[in-house]
Amino acid sequence: RIVAISKYTRNEDIKLFGADPEKISVIYNGYRNVCQTPPADLKIAYPYFLTVGAVKERKNTLRIVQAFGEFKKKNTSPHKLIVVGKTGNPYSQKVQKYIKESRLQSDVIFFGHTDDPRLSYLYRHATALVFPSTIESFGFPVLEAMSCGLPVITSNTGGVAEVAGEAALLVNPESAPEIAAAMSAVATDQKLRVDLV
């Protein structure tokens, strides 16, 4: 048999590899409840959006930064964007170039690959997780954030949409304005935040 971690993955197996649908079982992943780990003593004084995952194209980091830039133009909020994940590849250099050209250096903070106590703090105190991947079979950060009581903005396609269901704001991952609008909604609408949590 073939084990697929989501219906999306099952369908991709059939489409790309011609797998026999009768031989595929969908068994969802579990997740780590990161917020069971005592948080690090970071004392971040500003509100922030959080994105978690290696800085690479399919994680859509550049579009997240573009959306955050649009959010900053339309809101007087002191929000920053914290990016947790491995950097150092050509795509991350492209992201850094955009940040510099857009004068967002003081508003986009890279934490790199981090440990569970720091991640526990970041999930607990963020305004929302922003995770609009373009390709994702499952999306652990979506469940990690939800388990910490953090609202989630994620893609309306792929495995993340399936995992998030109706408990997140689903956006077109190709649309920076749509991602920015979701950020504004979560940052300004307390009832929406409570409903998502």
Side-chain angles (χ1 to χ4, degrees), residues 15-186:
K15 183 173 79 177
L16 298 174
F17 305 110
D20 180 353
E22 296 298 317
K23 291 186 176 180
I24 304 175
S25 296
V26 175
I27 302 175
Y28 290 107
N29 287 315
Y31 70 97
R32 295 177 311 125
N33 188 338
V34 176
C35 285
Q36 285 183 337
T37 302
D41 189 22
L42 294 180
K43 293 190 172 74
I44 295 173
Y46 46 79
Y48 61 90
F49 292 101
L50 178 66
T51 186
V52 176
V55 178
K56 53 187 176 185
E57 196 161 356
R58 75 179 180 87
K59 296 295 185 184
N60 215 11
T61 314
L62 179 57
R63 198 162 281 116
I64 293 168
V65 171
Q66 291 168 341
F68 177 70
E70 289 192 31
F71 166 82
K72 290 295 281 185
K73 285 176 191 169
K74 293 178 180 175
N75 295 274
T76 55
S77 167
H79 271 82
K80 297 187 185 295
L81 174 66
I82 292 180
V83 181
V84 172
K86 194 174 175 182
T87 59
N89 55 51
Y91 179 77
S92 67
Q93 291 166 5
K94 184 177 173 183
V95 172
Q96 292 284 2
K97 182 172 182 276
Y98 178 86
I99 289 168
K100 188 174 181 182
E101 289 171 351
S102 303
R103 298 182 179 166
L104 290 169
Q105 298 99 311
S106 63
D107 291 316
V108 181
I109 297 142
F110 288 84
F111 266 59
H113 186 72
T114 194
D115 58 19
D116 280 358
R118 284 160 65 90
L119 202 51
S120 176
Y121 179 97
L122 293 170
Y123 275 133
R124 288 168 191 257
H125 295 92
T127 297
L129 174 74
V130 185
F131 194 75
S133 299
T134 55
I135 301 169
E136 200 74 50
S137 298
F138 189 78
F140 287 109
V142 169
L143 292 184
E144 290 173 355
M146 287 179 172
S147 73
C148 293
L150 179 63
V152 172
I153 299 165
T154 193
S155 302
N156 60 7
T157 60
V160 283
E162 184 179 336
V163 168
E166 296 178 4
L169 286 182
L170 302 182
V171 296
N172 176 358
E174 305 291 340
S175 171
E178 201 169 314
I179 299 166
M183 293 166 111
S184 292
V186 174

